[in-house]
Amino acid sequence: MAEPAFPDLPLLPLRKGVVLPGRRTTLPLGRARSLALGRQLRPGDRLVVAVQHDARVETPALADLHTLAVLAVVKDVAERKRGFFLVVEGERRVHLESLVAQTPFIRAQVTVVDDEGAGEEADVLAESLRTRVLGLGLEKSLASSLHAADPSRLADLVVGWVDAPQSAKLEALHELNVTARLRMAATLVTEAKARAEYKSRIDSEVRRELTKAQREQMLRGQLRAIQKELGELDGDGDDPNDALQAKLDEAELPEEAMEQATRELKRLRGLPAQSPESNIIRTYLETLADLPWNKRADAVLDLDALAATLDRDHYAMDDVKSRILELMAVLQLAPESRGTVLCLVGPPGVGKTSLAQSVADATGRPLVRVALGGIRDEAEIRGHRRTYIGAMAGRIMASLRKAKVKNPVVVLDEIDKVSSGGWSGDPQAALLELLDPEQNSRFQDHYVDTPFDLSEVLFIATANDLGGLSLPLRDRLEILEVSGYTVDEKVQIAARHLFGDQLERHGLDEKVSIDEATLELIVRDYTRESGVRKLTQTLAKVLRKVALDVARDRSKSELHIDEAYARNALGKPRYFDDALEDERPAGVAAGLAWTPVGGSVLYVETTRMPGKGKLEITGQLGDVMNESAKAALAYLRTHATDLAIETDFLDHWDLHVHVPAGATPKDGPSAGVTMYTAFASLLTGRRVRSNVAMTGEATLRGRVLPVGGIKEKVLAAHRAGFRTLVLPRRNGVDLEDVPESVREELEVILVDRMDEVLDVALEPADAPVGFGPGSAGGGEDASAAV
């Protein structure tokens, strides 16, 4: 008769694997309920372990579980980055009576199940099984456990130890008769021993084949020596095919590739030297021989050296450098782990490729760059099949051939510029296998036509905008955002890196100097970009004038570049802080936009004229911005009374919205709040404060919804001179990504509703500027360019 039920116990359902009494097992926890259980358990606690019928069931009920389970004791609980690992030891079989709770983890009511059929026959079978298993040479701990085990526990230990399918182990778990369970264990041991003998026989045959190949190679060398003595070889006695054979032998090709090469070399030996096919085969074999099948760079993962190199080569970007160090630390602790593919995303000129170069320099790996921009043919990635004339390996194999090692740093430059498909295949689909750590250990180039291991390559992709990438490809990338620089950061980068590099390029020495005030002038008045590429070109322009002056008069070799000299070299300023002008009329609001090359400021201009309520929208606005304008106007009409606006204003006026520059297409959801503010300013006659910029999506109910690209937008506003920003409240967490030096100079106001925006953005109602809601004039002023 079964023992009384235990008090309800925690239950851990297993998708796969079987825990048997007496056997210690490590169990990974992944599901939410299992993780909650892992956080509660401590060594010494007891739980029930049950196997699911169907591993795909996420939340199993009693019908989804094998009701014969195992009561186990927790030996250890280990928390890892991706979850928990439990070490448990099975104690005895129990029967699941019911599930009494599902949250935060499953709890079950169980009763103990006793063994059956123990007796003299079981003792004899146990002794026979023990002798048989101990003769296989076990580790001491397992051998000791087998010596001390009773027949029931002995059967469970052997079934748990032997390499057998899960179904067989489940059958042994459900077998309550000890004698029958011992017979099952003996059968599993016999089958496992037979499989091991079969594997050993196959390994022996493979070794014999290798010995045969080595003997053929020795005989071929002797034949060559005999031919040389007889004078049967042309010229100096060297056979080009033999040189190619030696090169292939030196390359240490894997077995599959060597078989392919040997087959092709045999064909080559049978072809006349003048045959076109002879040259095709020779080129193919030379490609195989040049690939680094087993050559590695002596990579050194010194995290301190890597951190020092990143800090030396790149100013700021602390978050990006920290993420790179974290990923390198994982490679240091787990060298055999399948690597993550980094993707550095940001505007041009922010240092994405140079970050990859710093990683290569610090780790001692060679760097090769694969330019993916504009690729439309899948064969550029996978190579051409050798059936085509002019076939060649793809760019990946070509880069490894150039690197000469199998563990270089490969920069996949401009991955966002790859075509998404066409008549010549889909290059993005070809990249899926290449960038999947679970598949690229056997990457197959069409030209090479044999698997090549790319798992040791450190891939670093760069991109300006991931919007054009397919979702499966984006899912394979570890995205690192590399945003733009502030004015102060650009000044420091120019002083520490760019100016010295340009002095050397222009043949000038360190006697030519520049101060930070002049650098700040160049940054503010001549470069408005997220990166520093234009800043580099501008410094080069200044130094070209310096080089001309020094070449004409050597006494000027100690020239100091001040603000006047820089203005003289660069001409009139290219950028002005229009956002700070006090004369901006009512109806104009400053919005913030995100672009693939960083953030920017967009002005929304509105005007009105006598008419019948027509709404005109210009400036090459997309569908989303057109709808934002209509939604903002609809909300304004609904709340016209609250803003002291004539409710029938559309019966007398036509409205016009324009977003310069008209030649640039624009679209996105971020302009809703700006459109609403511009309309409100136009119709109330209250100007928008000159130092306020804003972003956010607006709804018909007046809610302000969050938008993306906050860091880039805030940096753009700071560069343009704005000091008050209106952002959606739910974007407040994104301000952590903005450099502290920028945040300290800005007043950021977070809002939930559009009426809150007007309290911040519009000048007081008692001091309107421009024209009021009842004025018939002023439309021309409202549309003035900003």
Side-chain angles (χ1 to χ4, degrees):
M1 182 176 179
E3 294 185 14
F6 279 100
D8 58 275
L9 293 171
L11 183 139
L12 178 64
L14 298 182
R15 295 182 192 269
K16 61 180 180 178
V18 179
V19 176
L20 291 166
R23 186 72 178 163
R24 186 168 293 194
T25 310
T26 299
L27 304 174
L29 306 184
R31 288 180 278 191
R33 288 182 174 84
S34 300
L35 292 173
L37 175 59
R39 296 187 184 96
Q40 297 289 331
L41 291 175
R42 299 291 182 270
D45 292 346
R46 282 178 167 79
L47 75 159
V48 178
V49 182
V51 182
Q52 293 182 200
H53 291 291
D54 187 350
R56 295 171 295 181
V57 176
E58 186 67 24
T59 307
L62 184 64
D64 299 314
L65 301 171
H66 289 274
T67 55
L68 196 64
V70 172
L71 178 66
V73 62
V74 177
K75 295 298 183 180
D76 191 17
V77 182
E79 184 172 2
R80 295 290 186 265
K81 191 171 184 180
R82 296 186 178 179
F84 286 87
F85 287 87
L86 284 186
V87 180
V88 301
E89 183 175 315
E91 288 190 338
R92 60 191 311 172
R93 290 169 172 79
V94 294
H95 187 273
L96 291 179
E97 300 295 339
S98 62
L99 303 185
V100 298
Q102 286 284 349
T103 57
F105 46 80
I106 304 174
R107 299 187 70 87
Q109 190 80 32
V110 301
T111 56
V112 175
V113 176
D114 293 328
D115 288 327
E116 302 172 357
E120 184 177 350
E121 182 181 2
D123 293 337
V124 173
L125 286 172
E127 188 60 33
S128 173
L129 178 62
R130 185 182 290 112
T131 303
R132 190 171 176 187
V133 174
L134 290 175
L136 298 178
L138 307 177
E139 61 265 24
K140 292 183 179 180
S141 59
L142 180 58
S144 176
S145 299
L146 293 179
H147 273 299
D150 58 34
S152 175
R153 185 57 53 88
L154 175 68
D156 289 334
L157 286 172
V158 172
V159 171
W161 165 76
V162 75
D163 182 14
Q166 176 168 318
S167 58
K169 296 191 176 187
L170 268 174
E171 186 180 356
L173 175 65
H174 285 78
E175 181 56 68
L176 300 180
N177 187 286
V178 177
T179 302
R181 201 186 315 148
L182 286 167
R183 295 184 187 279
M184 283 184 186
T187 301
L188 293 176
V189 170
T190 301
E191 292 174 352
K193 186 176 180 181
R195 285 196 300 270
E197 292 174 350
Y198 181 67
K199 182 177 181 299
S200 176
R201 186 166 65 252
I202 292 176
D203 291 343
S204 177
E205 292 175 359
V206 170
R207 284 193 295 272
R208 282 199 299 270
E209 289 295 328
L210 290 176
T211 303
K212 178 182 177 183
Q214 292 169 352
R215 184 171 63 253
E216 289 178 355
Q217 183 178 350
M218 180 186 66
L219 291 174
R220 193 176 292 112
Q222 293 174 348
L223 175 61
R224 185 169 59 250
I226 294 172
Q227 289 175 329
K228 190 179 295 184
E229 289 293 330
L230 294 175
E232 294 180 356
L233 295 180
D234 296 333
D236 57 1
D238 291 333
D239 186 351
N241 294 332
D242 292 339
L244 189 54
Q245 174 73 61
K247 194 174 180 181
L248 289 167
D249 293 338
E250 185 181 351
E252 300 181 12
L253 276 67
E255 181 180 353
E256 186 175 346
M258 195 64 195
E259 289 178 0
Q260 175 88 352
T262 302
R263 186 163 55 249
E264 293 296 323
L265 186 60
K266 185 176 180 180
R267 287 182 58 209
L268 179 61
R269 292 182 185 277
L271 292 172
Q274 298 79 11
S275 169
E277 190 176 0
S278 174
N279 291 328
I280 293 174
I281 296 175
R282 183 176 302 280
T283 302
Y284 169 68
L285 292 176
E286 288 174 349
T287 300
L288 288 184
D290 288 341
L291 287 174
W293 297 94
N294 206 27
K295 297 177 182 177
R296 296 173 177 83
D298 295 328
V300 179
L301 276 178
D302 187 337
L303 296 179
D304 293 334
L306 176 57
T309 301
L310 291 173
D311 290 337
R312 181 196 67 205
D313 296 344
H314 300 85
Y315 182 77
M317 294 197 296
D318 294 335
D319 291 343
V320 176
K321 291 187 283 190
S322 176
R323 292 284 300 279
I324 291 175
L325 287 172
E326 291 170 2
L327 292 168
M328 293 299 106
V330 173
L331 286 179
Q332 185 185 61
L333 296 176
E336 301 301 324
S337 65
R338 304 193 187 278
T340 300
V341 180
L342 293 176
C343 183
L344 304 175
V345 182
V350 293
K352 301 185 292 296
T353 305
S354 60
L355 276 169
Q357 182 65 63
S358 297
V359 172
D361 293 342
T363 57
R365 302 181 183 214
L367 180 139
V368 287
R369 176 177 172 269
V370 180
L372 299 180
I375 287 182
R376 296 177 177 273
D377 190 349
E378 178 189 358
E380 294 282 350
I381 305 297
R382 283 191 174 275
H384 303 80
R385 299 190 185 276
R386 286 189 292 130
T387 53
Y388 297 105
I389 297 175
M392 64 179 68
R395 295 197 183 193
I396 305 304
M397 291 292 103
S399 66
L400 291 175
R401 188 178 182 183
K402 179 180 179 181
K404 299 181 180 179
V405 293
K406 68 182 300 183
N407 61 338
V409 176
V410 175
V411 177
L412 303 175
D413 222 356
E414 308 290 354
I415 194 172
D416 56 325
K417 309 300 189 301
V418 176
S419 170
S420 59
W423 64 270
S424 53
D426 187 351
Q428 288 196 24
L431 287 171
L432 292 177
E433 179 186 0
L434 173 70
L435 300 181
D436 189 346
E438 300 298 329
Q439 299 183 45
N440 63 10
S441 59
R442 289 185 61 82
F443 177 76
Q444 188 146 341
D445 183 277
H446 288 158
Y447 181 80
V448 176
D449 200 25
T450 187
F452 191 93
D453 184 6
L454 296 177
S455 61
E456 297 182 43
V457 177
L458 178 57
F459 288 106
I460 300 180
T462 70
N464 299 133
D465 177 19
L466 295 181
L469 285 187
S470 63
L471 290 178
L473 179 56
R474 196 183 313 178
D475 185 57
R476 282 161 168 77
L477 304 174
E478 177 76 16
I479 308 297
L480 295 186
E481 297 283 349
V482 186
S483 300
Y485 300 109
T486 65
V487 172
D488 292 339
E489 288 172 346
K490 285 186 178 182
V491 170
Q492 292 300 320
I493 292 171
R496 299 183 185 198
H497 302 287
L498 305 182
F499 187 73
D501 292 343
Q502 292 302 314
L503 281 179
E504 184 177 350
R505 290 191 178 192
H506 289 79
L508 301 169
D509 55 31
E510 296 179 355
K511 294 179 181 179
V512 177
S513 60
I514 191 170
D515 54 55
E516 290 192 2
T518 304
L519 289 174
E520 185 172 348
L521 168 76
I522 294 173
V523 170
R524 289 188 181 277
D525 290 357
Y526 296 94
T527 63
R528 285 282 176 88
E529 56 168 348
S530 296
V532 293
R533 190 165 294 159
K534 187 65 178 178
L535 177 57
T536 304
Q537 297 170 0
T538 307
L539 288 174
K541 185 175 180 179
V542 175
L543 290 179
R544 284 197 295 270
K545 178 172 174 54
V546 174
L548 178 60
D549 291 344
V550 172
R552 286 176 172 173
D553 186 354
R554 295 291 179 178
S555 64
K556 294 183 179 181
S557 59
E558 298 186 12
L559 184 84
H560 176 73
I561 303 173
D562 56 16
E563 294 185 14
Y565 191 96
R567 288 190 186 280
N568 183 40
L570 298 174
K572 62 182 180 181
R574 297 185 57 194
Y575 300 97
F576 303 92
D577 288 335
D578 293 333
L580 303 181
E581 292 183 0
D582 294 331
E583 299 303 321
R584 190 189 316 148
V588 180
L592 301 175
W594 179 92
T595 71
V597 295
S600 65
V601 177
L602 290 181
Y603 289 94
V604 175
E605 303 173 344
T606 60
T607 186
R608 65 180 181 176
M609 60 220 68
K612 295 296 183 181
K614 178 182 177 182
L615 175 62
E616 185 74 22
I617 301 175
T618 58
Q620 284 212 59
L621 306 188
D623 293 339
V624 177
M625 290 187 73
N626 272 276
E627 293 175 358
S628 294
K630 294 174 183 177
L633 183 58
Y635 180 77
L636 195 63
R637 293 178 63 189
T638 305
H639 296 80
T641 303
D642 299 335
L643 296 172
I645 299 173
E646 297 175 0
T647 57
D648 60 347
F649 64 87
L650 285 184
D651 294 339
H652 313 291
W653 302 104
D654 286 345
L655 301 182
H656 189 148
V657 182
H658 179 68
V659 181
T664 304
K666 296 169 278 291
D667 201 11
S670 304
V673 168
T674 313
M675 295 277 191
Y676 167 68
T677 304
F679 278 130
S681 172
L682 173 73
L683 297 171
T684 61
R686 297 165 59 187
R687 292 190 311 180
V688 179
R689 299 179 191 272
S690 60
N691 66 339
V692 174
M694 62 197 70
T695 187
E697 183 176 1
T699 72
L700 282 176
R701 293 180 294 158
R703 294 181 59 206
V704 178
L705 302 182
V707 293
I710 292 298
K711 180 178 180 181
E712 290 80 1
K713 292 175 181 179
V714 172
L715 292 179
H718 181 265
R719 284 197 302 268
F722 289 95
R723 290 299 175 263
T724 302
L725 301 184
V726 180
L727 303 179
R729 187 173 301 279
R730 286 165 62 185
N731 281 127
V733 295
D734 297 320
L735 292 172
E736 297 177 3
D737 299 332
V738 179
E740 185 176 355
S741 61
V742 174
R743 296 201 305 266
E744 291 175 352
E745 298 183 19
L746 297 174
E747 179 187 8
V748 180
I749 299 174
L750 303 177
V751 297
D752 289 314
R753 297 189 57 80
M754 289 200 284
D755 49 9
E756 299 175 28
V757 177
L758 300 188
D759 294 338
V760 179
L762 297 187
E763 293 186 346
D766 56 356
V769 178
F771 57 92
S775 172
E780 184 178 350
D781 294 335
S783 62
V786 177

